[in-house]
Amino acid sequence: MPKFIFREITHQMELEAVFRQRYEVYEQCRMHSFLQPNEARIDIDAFDVHSVHFGLFNNEEVVAYLRVVLHRAVCFNQEVALLATQYGLMKQDVHVLGGDVVPPLASFPFLAYEGLPEGIGTFYHEKSKQYAFCEASRLIIQPQYRSIRMAVRM
């Protein structure tokens, strides 16, 4: 019987492994446009350095992954920044990925998408004075665990 544990991923080796798994999963699904192709086949974007990373483990195997993006002023993940720099995915204090520079006002992934309704940025900036925002994103579930039967077990 599987034993599932949900916990934060903090070690660089585990982070690198889940970023590689994330690349593989996204490459094979309809969300592949989120990927910035690179020779290392690792998915690290500008928001990962401002995120807390979580994994669902079955013993030592990563079954699922989720990141929680926090505001840039609140969170800077040094381990992820080192990985991103190592693979040439982040340069200095500007987040450069695949030639794209993330707009400085895009504190969260949803604010970086094209075609947002007019006023959403203003709404976010006004509400962020009162509330702390976060965004859960980049969820992956390994294919062999995607079933109703497994969901019931978890």
Side-chain angles (χ1 to χ4, degrees):
M1 179 99 164
K3 181 181 180 185
F4 296 101
I5 296 173
F6 184 76
R7 67 171 172 80
E8 184 178 354
I9 302 170
T10 57
H11 299 291
Q12 194 174 40
M13 287 179 60
E14 281 187 327
L15 287 165
E16 183 172 352
V18 296
F19 293 148
R20 288 186 189 284
Q21 287 179 349
R22 205 168 78 178
Y23 190 98
E24 290 175 18
V25 169
Y26 273 84
E27 184 179 50
Q28 297 173 18
C29 74
R30 63 183 176 170
M31 306 303 273
H32 65 273
S33 61
F34 285 137
L35 286 178
Q36 296 295 329
N38 61 77
E39 289 181 16
R41 299 180 54 76
I42 190 166
D43 180 32
I44 299 176
D45 70 15
F47 300 103
D48 285 312
V49 295
H50 303 290
S51 299
V52 180
H53 303 271
F54 295 96
L56 179 65
F57 294 81
N58 178 13
N59 297 315
E60 297 298 315
E61 178 188 13
V62 178
V63 171
Y65 163 87
L66 173 75
R67 73 175 177 195
V68 177
V69 183
L70 303 172
H71 193 278
R72 293 171 188 255
V74 174
C75 177
F76 184 82
N77 190 319
Q78 186 66 37
E79 296 295 322
V80 175
L82 290 171
L83 276 172
T85 302
Q86 175 184 337
Y87 290 105
L89 300 173
M90 186 172 106
K91 295 176 177 69
Q92 298 164 349
D93 198 30
V94 177
H95 303 294
V96 179
L97 297 136
D100 296 330
V101 178
V102 174
L105 295 178
S107 298
F108 297 99
F110 81 93
L111 292 172
Y113 299 141
E114 291 182 21
L116 284 175
E118 194 172 315
I120 193 76
T122 305
F123 173 80
Y124 161 74
H125 291 291
E126 288 300 313
K127 292 297 181 183
S128 67
K129 295 173 187 173
Q130 296 174 291
Y131 304 102
F133 282 84
C134 68
E135 179 179 338
S137 63
R138 283 296 213 263
L139 170 69
I140 64 166
I141 301 172
Q142 294 299 335
Q144 63 271 30
Y145 291 94
R146 295 180 200 160
S147 72
I148 297 296
R149 189 169 156 203
M150 284 306 297
V152 170
R153 285 178 141 179
M154 290 183 204

